[in-house]
Amino acid sequence: MTLPPPLNWPGSGLGAGPEYPPDLRVTRDNWRLYPFSRWSFQHARELVPSVGLAPAPTPRALAESPVDLAHLPLPGGGTLDDFLAATYTDAMLVVRDGAILFEHFGNGMIATRPHMLFSITKSMVGLVALRLIAAGLVDPAALAGDILPELGNSAFAEARLDHLLDMTDGVAFEEDYGNAQAAVHRYSAAYWTPASGLGGMLGALALFEQRDGAAGAQFRYRTPVADVVGLMLRRITGRRLSDLVMQWVWHPAGCAQEAYMLVDTSGVEMGGTGFNATPRDLARIGLWLMEPEQSGLLATLQAGGDRDLFRAAGQPTRPDGSYRGLWWIDHGTPANLMANGVFGQRLWIEPESGLVIVKLGSHPVASNSVTDDEHRAAFAAIRDAVVSS
């Protein structure tokens, strides 16, 4: 696959990050496309309405213990710096045991600016759901149609919350970003296009009529499923999804900057995409998950989902994997868990070594499978360098 060279828009010289490009007009129609994305992924709330999440009252301190990783040689050749450029990286952060070891910014990105995270949103919503379930406030066997009567005649009607969290609910949907005619692109009109007439996510989800399997019989990764989870949590608790993320994840993790969630055309936060946060605050969430107080939550995630179903779904770039609670789980040695978003967004947590890696980007290709192998090798090289030092 031939990719365009990285287009880096320079900062204003005032520390404000990339200026609005005078020769490229970024709109709601093109903001997810390269090269417009090089600007828009750092400025999503200027294009789409959003709801803010306030910083934690007592932010988690991050020490700094710099390690020179820029020139780290990688197994496939070249250095970490080369890898960062080749994968259109906007930011990378390596943290171990509460200390920042390496921090990189490109394309005008700065430490205090939230970056679009796409499907890392799902994993934040998954944490909320798992914590509410553990607290006895939400029934994992709750049916989507009972909680959301608007979906009573849809394929989601009999979907249980726990099946939705593991993407084993059996509702048919085509999540193929490379196919311009795929259902995922038509569905996303409910997010971004008021003229679609879908009435936001809930209206679009009510139109899902087909199933392609029994609940619990197969794993299929689909963005609308996380939206159903988010809407169920909102309806059960009577609170906005942004408030739930703030109460159950953002503040407990000690996040220091304002984050924000984009809203759909009806003004409701999406559960499948739209979260924007800084790299350091994502790292704080990784550190929080590894605290002894969160051992139950971490154990639930690390137990993973059904590995046979995951393998049968065809995940060649993610061997030894499964999916649980809207997180990608790697059961290899050492085990890790990942929150991923299209176009290069990754939160990678390795509890055994206390290591967290955040990598945000604006890659021209949506699917992360294109660079999964390169990322796995780079992250392993980083782990070997910092754990053995």
Side-chain angles (χ1 to χ4, degrees):
M1 178 183 298
T2 301
L3 298 175
L7 170 66
N8 295 297
W9 288 332
S12 65
L14 301 176
E19 297 174 328
Y20 191 92
D23 56 338
L24 293 172
R25 177 171 171 77
V26 183
T27 69
R28 278 200 188 187
D29 294 325
N30 65 25
W31 71 278
R32 289 165 290 157
L33 302 176
Y34 187 90
F36 310 99
S37 57
R38 294 291 274 175
W39 181 87
S40 63
F41 289 178
Q42 298 181 44
H43 296 267
R45 73 186 328 175
E46 297 177 38
L47 298 160
V48 180
S50 65
V51 177
L53 282 72
T58 305
R60 176 188 297 267
L62 294 175
E64 296 192 31
S65 183
V67 176
D68 182 12
L69 294 177
H71 302 101
L72 177 71
L74 300 184
T79 65
L80 183 62
D81 252 357
D82 297 328
F83 165 77
L84 295 176
T87 53
Y88 302 79
T89 304
D90 295 336
M92 185 173 189
L93 186 65
V94 179
V95 178
R96 188 183 184 209
D97 297 332
I100 298 173
L101 306 183
F102 177 77
E103 195 168 29
H104 165 89
F105 296 104
N107 188 37
M109 179 69 177
I110 58 175
T112 56
R113 178 181 296 114
H115 191 284
M116 180 69 173
L117 303 179
F118 289 100
S119 289
I120 290 179
T121 309
K122 295 180 176 68
S123 300
M124 300 300 105
V125 172
L127 293 177
V128 173
L130 292 177
R131 295 204 72 198
L132 288 170
I133 289 169
L137 300 175
V138 169
D139 179 4
L143 299 180
D146 289 344
I147 305 301
L148 302 166
E150 298 92 334
L151 303 185
N153 294 320
S154 76
F156 284 108
E158 300 301 315
R160 288 177 15 174
L161 179 60
D162 53 358
H163 287 148
L164 293 164
L165 284 168
D166 292 350
M167 299 274 184
T168 59
D169 52 278
V171 175
F173 186 76
E174 186 183 10
E175 187 102 354
D176 181 357
Y177 298 101
N179 177 3
Q181 303 306 313
V184 66
H185 300 300
R186 296 193 297 275
Y187 175 75
S188 68
Y191 292 157
W192 324 116
T193 311
S196 67
L198 294 172
M201 294 175 292
L202 195 53
L205 292 166
L207 301 178
F208 281 57
E209 299 177 344
Q210 303 298 319
R211 300 184 59 83
D212 57 12
Q218 62 180 357
F219 165 76
R220 293 288 185 272
Y221 178 84
R222 291 142 299 139
T223 289
V225 172
D227 288 327
V228 175
V229 171
L231 290 167
M232 289 178 70
L233 298 180
R234 177 187 175 103
R235 190 67 61 83
I236 291 169
T237 63
R239 301 183 62 198
R240 297 201 69 155
L241 189 56
S242 53
D243 290 337
L244 293 173
V245 174
M246 190 162 55
Q247 176 183 352
W248 292 94
V249 177
W250 201 247
H251 285 182
C255 294
Q257 300 289 143
E258 182 189 27
Y260 61 92
M261 300 182 75
L262 303 183
V263 301
D264 72 359
T265 55
S266 71
V268 175
E269 306 97 318
M270 289 90 81
T273 187
F275 198 80
N276 289 255
T278 67
R280 290 190 177 191
D281 279 338
L282 278 185
R284 288 181 168 98
I285 291 172
L287 294 171
W288 168 70
L289 273 173
M290 293 188 287
E291 290 181 341
E293 294 81 3
Q294 303 308 322
S295 59
L297 177 59
L298 182 62
T300 296
L301 290 171
Q302 287 188 300
D306 190 309
R307 296 170 69 176
D308 290 333
L309 296 184
F310 189 87
R311 191 178 303 112
Q315 299 288 332
T317 65
R318 294 173 185 175
D320 299 319
S322 72
Y323 195 84
R324 182 74 183 275
L326 303 180
W327 283 76
W328 300 93
I329 313 301
D330 186 335
H331 299 278
T333 304
N336 59 70
L337 51 153
M338 300 172 288
N340 293 336
V342 289
F343 302 108
Q345 325 316 319
R346 296 170 187 262
L347 168 58
W348 184 88
I349 304 167
E350 187 180 284
E352 181 179 317
S353 61
L355 188 63
V356 178
I357 299 177
V358 176
K359 188 168 180 292
L360 308 179
S362 43
H363 198 283
V365 179
S367 176
N368 282 325
S369 64
V370 173
T371 58
D372 265 350
D373 291 340
E374 289 86 347
H375 279 79
R376 184 178 297 106
F379 290 0
I382 292 170
R383 178 189 62 237
D384 292 345
V386 303
V387 172
S388 61
S389 61

